[in-house]
Amino acid sequence: MARLRDKQPEEIRFLLNRKGMTFAYIDRKYRLPTDTACKTARVPHAEGEAAIADALGLSPQKIWPSRFDSRTGERLKPQPAENYSHAPRLRHCLKGEAA
């Protein structure tokens, strides 16, 4: 069975935008600290995951399967180290390096 992949932050932003929402709106609506929803799209944060999933009408497991046990559906504690590694950024976003 193929391992499901997590939705990319861009996909999550697109899904939110289709419903007329932004990451900042999620922070305000669910009373999360500023930038929590945006950061949650890249790194694990239980409350942020629950807020985004609720706003999209999906389960957190469908958005971020790597953050949950595939057999039990329980959230992994602690999270695997690879869930904290950031995807490479576009070249023009790297400061201090020539393009």
Side-chain angles (χ1 to χ4, degrees), residues 22-50:
T22 63
F23 287 128
Y25 173 80
I26 300 298
D27 289 338
R28 288 189 303 272
K29 180 178 179 184
Y30 293 90
R31 297 183 178 161
L32 298 171
T34 303
D35 291 333
T36 299
C38 187
K39 291 176 186 175
T40 299
R42 296 193 184 278
V43 296
H45 187 279
E47 292 81 14
E49 292 166 9

Side-chain angles (χ1 to χ4, degrees), residues 57-74:
L58 300 170
S59 70
Q61 293 91 334
K62 291 203 181 255
I63 302 171
W64 300 281
S66 71
R67 300 179 188 184
F68 295 85
D69 186 307
S70 60
R71 289 170 289 156
T72 64
E74 295 291 319

Side-chain angles (χ1 to χ4, degrees), residues 2-20:
R3 176 89 174 155
L4 297 174
R5 69 171 183 83
D6 290 356
K7 290 200 183 309
Q8 296 297 311
E10 296 79 20
E11 292 175 87
I12 298 168
R13 181 183 310 258
F14 173 77
L15 293 171
L16 288 172
N17 288 344
R18 271 194 2 200
K19 292 186 174 249

